[in-house]
Amino acid sequence: MRSYDLSPFYRTAIGFDRLAKMLNESQRSENEISYPPYNIELVDENAYKIVMAVAGFQRDELEIETEHQALRVTGRKAKKEQESTYLHRGIATRDFEHKFQLADHVKVTGAQLENGLLTIALVREIPEALKPRKIEIGAAVPNASSTLIEQKAA
């Protein structure tokens, strides 16, 4: 994949810095190794699930944080006092940090570690003011100016 320099857009586009930052991060992450492997599942219309394969990690070695519409999952393996000598090492237990960009109104509702799989539950909670609402069609439409006059009189 080609790498694009977006710095000229920073000089002329005001308020689009978040979009440019997301484009830069997506270019960088495609070239990096995706460890640990993970799935993102659509559970329901407004519910999601991230499942990460974190074999060999204990609960106290994993950390989940959310900040400014970003989810960060970090794994720091505790150092062993005695290192083992491996004839073959196929299970990776190195430290990792994985970041996910969350859409507006997406919140983390919980996390669970079972059988080497870390499951993070997310839900999109759209505020009532932003939800579509149905407007009933009535027989008469109130005049805006008459409504203002009635409010001032009251």
Side-chain angles (χ1 to χ4, degrees), residues 12-96:
T12 59
I14 308 300
F16 293 99
D17 52 336
R18 182 172 169 221
L19 177 64
K21 181 180 175 187
M22 286 174 54
L23 288 171
N24 277 335
E25 287 177 1
S26 69
Q27 285 179 349
R28 217 175 306 123
S29 66
E30 285 182 4
N31 297 332
E32 296 174 3
I33 297 172
S34 181
Y35 172 78
Y38 64 93
N39 294 332
I40 300 175
E41 299 177 35
L42 178 63
V43 177
D44 194 1
E45 182 180 350
N46 291 314
Y48 306 90
K49 182 168 59 169
I50 299 172
V51 181
M52 299 182 80
V54 291
F57 283 88
Q58 302 296 321
R59 279 185 174 81
D60 59 342
E61 297 171 332
L62 297 169
E63 185 175 300
I64 302 170
E65 289 182 342
T66 59
E67 181 182 8
H68 302 296
Q69 295 180 312
L71 169 66
R72 183 174 64 201
V73 181
T74 308
R76 302 269 182 255
K77 194 70 179 146
K79 302 297 179 203
K80 292 183 181 179
E81 294 176 14
Q82 178 186 358
E83 285 293 319
S84 301
T85 304
Y86 294 98
L87 299 178
H88 171 75
R89 186 169 186 175
I91 301 173
T93 55
R94 60 185 179 269
D95 294 349
F96 68 89

